[in-house]
C-alpha cells in the first residue's frame, strides 16, 4: 500500500474519526483534558503501527497530564479502536503531542494585537 493511496487515506481518516470518538466519550480518565483533539493520524502500510498527533488546548500541565492519561489508556483505546474500525490488524498507537493549534491561536492573537494597535494609530492621525 503506497503512502498516499486512496486506501491509506481512507484508513487514516477512519482511524482518526474513531480515535476522536473514543477520546470524546469513551475514556473516563480525569487526567485527559476535555479540550483534546486528534489533529492527524498516520497508519503504517502494514497496519501494525499508527502515529496519532494529539492537540490539547490549555497550559503545559494539562498537556502533560493528558499525555500520561493517554499512555495509561493505550490498551483500552486499542480495544475500542478494534471494535469500531474493522481492520485485519489493529495498530499499536503512538501518541505525539502537537502544538500547531495552540501556535495558530497564539499567532492569531498577536496579529489581532498588531492590527488593533495599527487602527488606533491611524484613527489618531485622522482627528
Amino acid at each position: 500500500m503506497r503512502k498516499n493511496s486512496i486506501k491509506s487515506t481512507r484508513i487514516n481518516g477512519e482511524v482518526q474519526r474513531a480515535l476522536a470518538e473514543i477520546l470524546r466519550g469513551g475514556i473516563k480518565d480525569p487526567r485527559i483534558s476535555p479540550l483534546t483533539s486528534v489533529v492527524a493520524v498516520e497508519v503504517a502500510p502494514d497496519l501494525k503501527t499508527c502515529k496519532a498527533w494529539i492537540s490539547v488546548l490549555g497550559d503545559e500541565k494539562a498537556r502533560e497530564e493528558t499525555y500520561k492519561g493517554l499512555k495509561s489508556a493505550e490498551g483500552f483505546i486499542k480495544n475500542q479502536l478494534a471494535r469500531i474500525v474493522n481492520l485485519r490488524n489493529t495498530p499499536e498507537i503512538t501518541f505525539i503531542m502537537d502544538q500547531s493549534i495552540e501556535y495558530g491561536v497564539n499567532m492569531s492573537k498577536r496579529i489581532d494585537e498588531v492590527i488593533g494597535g495599527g487602527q488606533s494609530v491611524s484613527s489618531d492621525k485622522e482627528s
Side-chain angles (χ1 to χ4, degrees):
M1 183 169 64
R2 291 188 313 247
K3 188 171 183 176
N4 293 328
S5 70
I6 293 171
K7 181 180 177 184
S8 69
T9 304
R10 193 175 329 137
I11 289 172
N12 290 341
E14 272 302 302
V15 171
Q16 181 176 356
R17 184 193 59 75
L19 280 177
E21 184 179 312
I22 292 166
L23 291 180
R24 187 174 45 248
I27 299 178
K28 304 287 189 254
D29 193 333
R31 294 179 291 183
I32 298 175
S33 171
L35 300 174
T36 303
S37 59
V38 181
V39 177
V41 169
E42 184 179 307
V43 180
D46 62 356
L47 304 177
K48 299 275 185 195
T49 60
C50 168
K51 293 179 186 174
W53 284 268
I54 306 294
S55 179
V56 179
L57 195 60
D59 59 350
E60 188 65 33
K61 185 176 187 246
R63 264 182 257 138
E64 289 174 9
E65 290 297 317
T66 299
Y67 185 73
K68 288 177 187 174
L70 289 173
K71 289 296 284 181
S72 70
E74 269 183 351
F76 174 78
I77 294 171
K78 183 177 176 182
N79 185 13
Q80 293 298 311
L81 185 63
R83 271 187 348 97
I84 296 171
V85 181
N86 186 16
L87 294 172
R88 182 179 304 130
N89 299 319
T90 304
E92 290 291 329
I93 304 166
T94 303
F95 293 106
I96 302 168
M97 296 309 283
D98 183 44
Q99 288 141 2
S100 62
I101 293 176
E102 184 179 345
Y103 179 78
V105 169
N106 189 17
M107 282 293 131
S108 180
K109 285 180 185 175
R110 288 184 179 185
I111 290 170
D112 289 343
E113 288 172 4
V114 169
I115 290 174
Q119 288 177 347
S120 64
V121 171
S122 65
S123 63
D124 289 340
K125 290 181 181 177
E126 292 174 5
S127 301

